[in-house]
Amino acid sequence: MAIINNKNAKKSLLSVFQEYNISKVDIIIYASILFVLVATAGVFIFLSKSYINKQNIYEEVSQDAIDFEGLKKKEAQITKDFANLDASINNLRNKFFSEKQVNEFKEEVKKLAKTYKCDRIDVTEGAESREQVESLKIKTRDGEVKTVNIKFKKRSVDFFFQMSLGNFTGFLKSLETCNKMLEIQPFRIAQGDEKDVVKLTKFNVMLYMLPPELETALKGLTGAVTFEDFANQVKLGEKVEVHPINVKNVLAYEIVKAKGVEEWKLLPIFRTIEPPKPKLKVPPAELRIVSSSGSLVAFMYNKDANNIYYGTVGGNIETRDKKRIAGYEAMKLIEVNQKKGFVVLELDEVTGELSRLKQ
């Protein structure tokens, strides 16, 4: 029964194909084409997977090449850094002051002050030094990171000096470019002993001394080398230009020029209060009447017969060549009394009589 049913099914399927004019040959051709398509798709999938695998391998190789090139560059940089390690360590050492360089610093500051028109500068060194503890992380040669507590010691040095405000600004700028580590403590300026001068009674500078712990740590990297063998000379930087601008012999302002900054115009901030000059005594004690004729009177000053001064009413007292008595250039003859034998002189609204009888 099953065989009969299969045959009937086949006949019915062929009959259906025949209804659409599809012969057995067509079916074989279509089946062959379908097989080729399926085979082609299989081959394509296989080749695609192979290409993807090869592409992944290529990308991995390319990335390895890039990483290798980066490692080579890092190796070159590390080699360069290690080649400069000794120089870098010596530069670090030279940021600190050694014991011998404290006096060197004081002498350099004195020289610097002279370039800023300071004739005298006094120096005192503090009896005690300040200590400051800092925690620093360092990496050893084995790659281990350690925390080291370094005790920084600061040496105190006090300066006492006077200079103009512009010169003091330049002085500070030169200290700022010092090749050693230092700190300037808060200070006060006051009126100096002279006009347009400021005074610093305590200009305190803290010098960073080389910590013993740091010296020991650096020796472990470069060997037993002492700081003194590689200590650089103390340098306080280049001198800043200071140009005083005077008006009628009085300091109006100062122009300060420093590299890398614009000009500063500094006005004097202190003015000395001067008491008014006492009015001169009129007539001067050294003045004598030599002769008189009408309104013309001849005078001799300080017994100097070579210089005779003349005066008429309303006029100044002066020689024939217009020379006047020093300090009494504006003194005038106000009145001549021939009958009583005296004259009246005036200077800055101060009047006085001079008698012919005065010896």
Side-chain angles (χ1 to χ4, degrees), residues 10-77:
K10 287 181 180 179
K11 287 180 179 180
S12 61
L13 182 62
L14 289 173
S15 62
V16 172
F17 286 157
Q18 288 175 356
E19 290 178 0
Y20 289 97
N21 294 322
I22 299 174
S23 64
K24 291 182 178 181
V25 176
D26 294 333
I27 294 173
I28 294 172
I29 293 172
Y30 294 151
S32 299
I33 294 172
L34 180 62
F35 174 78
V36 171
L37 289 175
V38 172
T40 303
V43 172
F44 177 77
I45 293 172
F46 174 78
L47 293 177
S48 297
K49 289 183 178 180
S50 177
Y51 174 76
I52 292 172
N53 292 334
K54 289 182 178 179
Q55 187 176 12
N56 291 335
I57 294 173
Y58 172 77
E59 290 178 354
E60 290 178 1
V61 172
S62 299
Q63 187 61 43
D64 291 341
I66 294 172
D67 294 341
F68 178 72
E69 186 66 26
L71 290 174
K72 285 181 66 178
K73 291 181 179 179
K74 290 181 180 179
E75 179 186 10
Q77 183 63 41

Side-chain angles (χ1 to χ4, degrees), residues 270-290:
F270 290 116
R271 287 294 183 188
T272 304
I273 300 176
E274 298 181 352
K277 295 181 180 180
K279 292 185 178 181
L280 297 175
K281 183 180 179 181
V282 180
E286 299 83 2
L287 191 65
R288 298 288 185 272
I289 297 176
V290 177

